[in-house]
Structure formats: C-alpha cells, structure tokens
Amino acid sequence: MSPEEVKARGWKELDIILITGDAYVDHSSFGTAIIGRVLEDAGFRVGIIAQPKWDNPEDFKKLGKPRLFFSVSAGNTDSMVSNLTPGLKPRDKDAYSPGGETGLRPNRAVIIYSNRIKEAFPEVPIVLGGIEASLRRFAHYDYLSDKVRQSILADAPADLVVYGMGELQIVEIAKRLQAGEDIREIRDIPGTVWKMEVKAWKELKKGKKTAKEQNGQEQDKREQKGERESISTAEGMARDVAEGVAESSGEFFKEYIEIPSFSEVSQDKADFANAFRKYFMEQNPVTGKGVVQPHPKTVIVQNRPMRPLTEAELDHVYELPFTGEAHPFYPEPIPALEMVKFSLTTHRGCFGGCAFCAITQHQGRMIASRSIESVLREAKKLTEKPDFKGIINGVGGPTANMYAMGCKSWEKKGACLDKACLYPVSYTHLTLPTN
Ligand code: SF4
C-alpha cells in the first residue's frame, strides 16, 4: 500500500498498520488479508506494508505512525520454511512473492520486523500474529539453529502475541486501545500471550506459598492447642496481609498452570516433552487454563484459547469484499495465489490428532463450518470472474471430510484431548452434517 492509496481513501492517518512477509494478496487464504478486512469491517483504518526492506527502518515509516498499533506477521508460513529447504539450502522459489522471487523476507521475520518498528516508532504497541509467532509462542525447538529457543515474545520487542485464528482477538485489542486502554494492561483476552515481569511472577508464587504455609501453620496451632480460640490481633493482621497477596495469587493459580521453564526445557528433553504435553492439554477454549512459562528475563503467559467462530461469524468473514487478486503493483503473478484463486474454504479445525501436525495448536480441534448458502454464494462469485476456466479447484479446510461435523460434548467440554474421536466407533459422540 502506498501513501497515495491512503490519501485516495480520504484518510489523514491510519489506525493500524499490518506488516507481512508475503506479497499482499486480497484473498481469504491469506491471513493478512483476512485480518485487514476484519479490522476494516469493524470500522478501523488499516494500512498494509508487504515485504518491507528490513536493513533499516525507512520502509516501516512509509505510511506514517499508526494511531493504535502495528501488527506483525511473517506471512502464511514461517519465514524459515519460506526461505529454506528441509536440508537448509536456500529455496529457488518463494511461492508468496511476485514471480516466485526469493530474498524478499528475512529469516526470523517477526523478530526483525519488530525491531525495525521499535527503532522507527518506539512508543507504538506491537502485536504479533500468524503462524511464525503462533507456533513459537513458548520455548520451542528451532530447526535452523538446532537449539531450543526462547518464546518469540521474549526475543521480539512486542507487547502481545495473538495465537490461533485471530479475528476475535485483533478486533478486541483494537477496540480496547481505541478506548484508551494501555496495551500493558490488556491481560485477559483469550487467544493472546503476554509478558509478566519476573518480579511480579515471584510475588505471585510467594503469595501461593504463603497461603499454603499460613493455612498449614494455623491448622497445626489449632491442633496443638486443641481449642478453637480466636487468634491474636497481630496474628490476624499478618494473616490478612498474607491473604491479600494470596487472594490475587489464589485467583491467578485457579486460572493458570505453570509448565517447565525455558532454562529447564532447553537442558532436559524430558522437561521439554513434559512442557509440551502440559500446554497441549490446555488447548481447549471451553475448559482449558492459561499457561505460564518462566524465562530468564521475562515470564510468558498464555491465556486460554479463543473460541472458534460461529457459523454466522465465519460466513461473514469469508464474504467480506475480498477482490481475490494480488495488489496491482506487482508486475508478476504470486504463485501461491495461482494455487488457491479458484478454491474456497468451507471450515476450520481438525480433530484428527496426528502427532506430527500443528493444526491443533493453531486452528484447534473443534470444527467451525460455514453454511452451505454462504459457500454457494462464494462459488457463484468465483464463476463470474473473467479468468474462470470452468473448474473450482478445491473446497475444504484442513481435513475436507470434517465439514460441518460436530460433537455433543463440545459445548460443555470442548474437544476431547485424547484420540478417541474416531475410534472405537461406539464411543464417539460425533455428529455428521444433516444436509
Ligand atoms: S489436519 Fe490432517 S495431518 Fe493435521 S491433524 Fe488433521 S488429519 Fe492429521
């Protein structure tokens, strides 16, 4: 997007600027296009800077300073997956760049883009999103360096990570900032990750311990005296202070669990596996708890996942006015668009539970589906495009035949975290589409 395009829309400034490592394609298969259209639909003025040069901050300044925040994504895939083969050789083509050109995004794009933004506008909040930020939200194994790395939020100078499908989170963040809330106080939105100071974490832990000790000591005293006398005023005050800390601590630990720290998981494979298992078990928007992972200089706090969109919400998102085209600025086609241009999304999520697949960590195990009417309306629009050749190439989601499937248990329990969805058949509560 250019400053002239911003002016042409009659805007003097932007509310939000989205930065992406992909070329800009206004199609619902591209995360930045969805987030941009959803924010625009919610009434915000949105600008997009695609594939900025990252060796200095100038490209990040070209649309001015946004009134609310920058949102940063590496693009539809992790930047290192876009740039490198599994053998760590440079790829000869980047499917998300014009003409498949390579070298238009850096490795670790989210961290590098965030650093450039901080240099350009140190006071503007930064929100991370997309696959790269989402799947690197806790300490994680990094294939390129062959090491366990810290959470991306510990490495990037950013304020929040939106993980999973981000429409509901990003609009809520924008509304809160618009209402004057400080981004450092936005701590309760499901599907987001934030940073806590190490000192505050230690206080919370101390409060938890104090409450436990206090309860234990009082119990002991009563048992020793064998009577139910009221405790002295001094003891009462001490208990009240302890309970004050313990109260907030107690509330916090009702909602959040702690997993092994970065220091632990980077040194011990069993701790790494244990941490993964623990946060995997909380990937449930209905019963899941938040997850805390201490790092040396900060503490990473993940709120429970955001709920999936309803059918009406999903219909609305996919029927926003996407042009389905790449930005006219590009002289050559974007290969990734050619693959999906005449395809459409019918649903999100998968309960397949394949061990190697990260879809659960991003789209979740509960299926969210569009209505048949909405899918048909989009199909009709595709057939009206001048370059339509008579075939819609793809209709589906992560697993095409899970369209409109549901489960009687999802409303109260969310999706089961074991693999019993599909087998044995007599155990399953799955419901199939009725039409
Ligand atoms: S999306 Fe495919 S690979 Fe991933 S869990 Fe579902 S069935 Fe398995």
Side-chain angles (χ1 to χ4, degrees):
M1 196 172 195
S2 64
E4 291 69 37
E5 285 171 276
V6 176
K7 269 194 208 134
R9 299 198 71 171
W11 295 341
K12 288 204 176 83
E13 65 173 352
L14 294 165
D15 296 321
I16 299 152
I17 295 180
L18 311 181
I19 308 285
T20 170
D22 290 340
Y24 184 67
V25 179
D26 190 26
H27 186 282
S28 58
S29 293
F30 290 73
T32 299
I34 292 203
I35 294 299
R37 287 289 176 193
V38 164
L39 284 167
E40 183 186 47
D41 182 58
F44 296 98
R45 295 166 299 181
V46 184
I48 292 161
I49 301 178
Q51 299 191 314
K53 294 197 183 84
W54 62 89
D55 53 350
N56 69 65
E58 288 315 304
D59 251 13
F60 296 81
K61 293 181 187 168
K62 72 179 186 190
L63 299 182
K65 176 171 142 183
R67 202 169 57 85
L68 300 177
F69 65 98
F70 277 98
S71 174
V72 177
S73 162
N76 264 13
T77 55
D78 188 284
S79 52
M80 281 151 283
V81 174
S82 293
N83 288 345
L84 303 166
T85 67
L88 298 180
K89 301 269 184 300
R91 287 191 189 275
D92 54 15
K93 184 172 148 189
D94 181 338
Y96 290 90
S97 294
E101 190 179 343
T102 56
L104 298 183
R105 83 183 85 212
N107 288 340
R108 310 201 192 288
V110 167
I111 297 174
I112 290 178
Y113 292 160
S114 304
N115 281 325
R116 293 298 89 81
I117 293 168
K118 233 6 169 206
E119 288 158 25
F121 302 108
E123 67 287 16
V124 179
I126 302 177
V127 178
L128 311 180
I131 282 283
E132 182 164 306
S134 204
L135 296 185
R136 293 174 182 265
R137 61 191 186 265
F138 290 115
H140 55 281
Y141 173 69
D142 179 66
Y143 186 67
L144 180 59
S145 60
D146 193 21
K147 284 195 180 120
V148 173
R149 276 183 73 100
Q150 305 195 99
S151 160
I152 202 161
L153 199 50
D155 281 337
D159 300 282
L160 290 173
V161 172
V162 166
Y163 73 93
M165 307 309 281
E167 295 94 343
L168 295 172
Q169 299 93 305
I170 205 79
V171 171
E172 181 65 17
I173 292 167
K175 285 183 177 166
R176 298 260 197 110
L177 292 175
Q178 169 109 306
E181 230 174 289
D182 184 328
I183 193 139
R184 287 165 301 187
E185 276 155 25
I186 301 181
R187 297 287 177 255
D188 58 337
I189 302 178
T192 61
V193 184
W194 47 281
K195 290 190 266 203
M196 186 191 290
E197 286 183 6
V198 174
K199 195 170 155 223
W201 172 244
K202 284 186 178 161
E203 286 291 312
L204 274 175
K205 293 270 284 187
K206 206 164 104 192
K208 189 183 179 194
K209 208 170 146 205
T210 311
K212 244 188 187 169
E213 283 169 2
Q214 189 77 32
N215 286 341
Q217 280 165 11
E218 277 171 22
Q219 183 81 16
D220 290 350
K221 267 188 203 166
R222 286 190 195 115
E223 280 169 9
Q224 275 167 18
K225 288 184 184 172
E227 57 191 23
R228 296 167 65 199
E229 66 177 26
S230 60
I231 54 174
S232 72
T233 314
E235 279 174 311
M237 280 171 67
R239 187 193 60 183
D240 289 346
V241 171
E243 279 179 353
V245 179
E247 200 183 318
S248 57
S249 171
E251 289 304 309
F252 185 85
F253 285 104
K254 268 189 218 157
E255 302 290 332
Y256 292 85
I257 62 155
E258 183 182 356
I259 62 173
S261 67
F262 167 73
S263 309
E264 289 165 325
V265 302
S266 56
Q267 284 163 26
D268 187 319
K269 287 181 183 164
D271 278 339
F272 187 98
N274 186 20
F276 180 83
R277 183 179 174 281
K278 280 187 159 176
Y279 79 74
F280 180 86
M281 298 304 279
E282 304 303 335
Q283 294 308 301
N284 181 332
V286 183
T287 59
K289 288 189 172 184
V291 178
V292 182
Q293 186 174 52
H295 280 51
K297 293 189 180 158
T298 190
V299 176
I300 301 299
V301 186
Q302 172 184 285
N303 293 341
R304 68 180 159 79
M306 179 52 92
R307 65 169 174 83
L309 298 185
T310 63
E311 180 185 277
E313 288 168 339
L314 212 53
D315 285 356
H316 185 71
V317 167
Y318 282 95
E319 292 193 70
L320 289 170
F322 299 98
T323 61
E325 304 290 339
H327 192 281
F329 160 82
Y330 298 116
E332 291 185 82
I334 315 294
L337 174 61
E338 301 309 298
M339 283 186 261
V340 296
K341 192 165 182 185
F342 293 103
S343 297
L344 47 87
T345 302
T346 53
H347 62 289
R348 296 174 173 177
C350 177
F351 49 79
C354 302
F356 56 82
C357 180
I359 201 85
T360 318
Q361 300 300 308
H362 198 71
Q363 293 201 359
R365 296 168 67 97
M366 291 156 72
I367 308 296
S369 301
R370 293 170 67 183
S371 67
I372 289 176
E373 293 74 22
S374 170
V375 172
L376 288 175
R377 279 193 294 271
E378 189 179 343
K380 185 162 184 296
K381 266 178 71 187
L382 289 182
T383 65
E384 290 161 1
K385 281 185 160 289
D387 48 348
F388 181 66
K389 304 270 189 316
I391 296 171
I392 291 179
N393 307 100
V395 178
T399 310
N401 58 4
M402 286 183 191
Y403 171 74
M405 289 178 83
C407 176
K408 292 175 202 153
S409 305
W410 283 354
E411 203 177 309
K412 290 198 178 128
K413 290 200 319 179
C416 301
L417 289 169
D418 55 23
K419 296 185 183 177
C421 273
L422 300 174
Y423 183 83
V425 173
S426 55
Y427 282 4
T428 193
H429 293 150
L430 285 174
T431 52
L432 299 171
T434 48
N435 48 10

